[in-house]
């Protein structure tokens, strides 16, 4: 049985990002079990000062979570990405009940930073998420579905 290895890069300075990251992780843990992964390994890192050099395991998912309340954190997205040409990259901007009209631009900037590091656009799953467990779990399931499609194609 395969192991799902997931790296979460979180802007810990943002209460929105911390909350959404926790909800995404809860959703990933449930979705991984449902998808047949025997084990799930999580690596939590700061988006500002990542220390992770490699992600061990069969399946690689990297998720970057920043909050609308700290737009400057998008600078760390490209620097934190571990790029080896495989895996799925989730990019999340955590938003409050009423998102700013500028959050779409923030999401776009993050995607561009990942692409600048050599990540294929098709491997990136961008999302604007509220701190709602059901919304975050649906996103987590989408990420793992993307991983499954890559495994079948590869």
């Amino acid at each position: 049985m395969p192991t799902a290895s997931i790296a979460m890069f979180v802007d810990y300075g943002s209460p929105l990002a911390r909350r959404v990251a926790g909800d995404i992780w809860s959703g990933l843990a449930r979705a991984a079990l449902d998808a047949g992964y025997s084990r799930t390994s999580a690596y939590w890192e700061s988006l500002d000062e990542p220390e992770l050099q490699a992600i061990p395991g069969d399946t690689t998912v990297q998720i970057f979570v920043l909050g609308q309340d700290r737009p400057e954190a998008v600078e760390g997205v490209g620097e934190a990405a571990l790029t080896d040409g495989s895996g799925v990259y989730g990019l999340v901007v955590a938003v409050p009940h009423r998102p700013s009209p500028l959050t779409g631009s923030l999401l776009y900037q993050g995607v561009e930073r990942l692409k600048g590091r050599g990540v294929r656009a098709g491997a990136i799953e961008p999302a604007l998420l509220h701190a709602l467990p059901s919304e975050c779990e649906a996103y987590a399931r989408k990420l793992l579905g993307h991983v499954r499609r890559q495994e079948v194609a590869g």
Side-chain angles (χ1 to χ4, degrees):
M1 288 261 200
T3 298
S5 296
I6 301 161
M8 300 277 293
F9 296 93
V10 182
D11 176 17
Y12 289 115
S14 167
L16 278 170
R18 288 193 315 262
R19 208 159 149 218
V20 166
D23 287 344
I24 291 170
W25 171 248
S26 294
L28 278 168
R30 283 189 293 276
L33 284 173
D34 292 346
Y37 289 100
S38 60
R39 186 169 169 230
T40 304
S41 299
Y43 304 91
W44 288 71
E45 294 288 325
S46 169
L47 189 56
D48 295 330
E49 299 175 18
E51 296 178 15
L52 194 62
Q53 300 299 315
I55 304 170
D58 302 331
T59 301
T60 303
V61 179
Q62 294 179 54
I63 304 169
F64 304 88
V65 185
L66 54 138
Q68 169 188 300
D69 53 337
R70 286 183 28 98
E72 67 277 5
V74 75
E75 300 290 328
V77 170
E79 296 166 18
L82 303 171
T83 55
D84 66 357
S86 66
V88 174
Y89 297 79
L91 178 67
V92 175
V93 176
V95 296
H97 179 65
R98 291 187 151 177
S100 162
L102 300 176
T103 55
S105 173
L106 191 57
L107 197 61
Y108 175 79
Q109 288 176 45
V111 168
E112 289 303 308
R113 290 184 184 284
L114 288 173
K115 287 171 42 182
R117 285 291 306 269
V119 177
R120 289 180 310 101
I124 303 169
E125 286 290 341
L128 299 174
L129 295 178
H130 299 89
L132 298 170
S134 60
E135 192 173 295
C136 293
E137 183 169 347
Y139 177 73
R141 289 185 183 284
K142 184 176 182 178
L143 281 175
L144 284 181
H146 194 62
V147 168
R148 286 295 201 202
R149 286 189 299 278
Q150 278 190 351
E151 289 174 348
V152 170

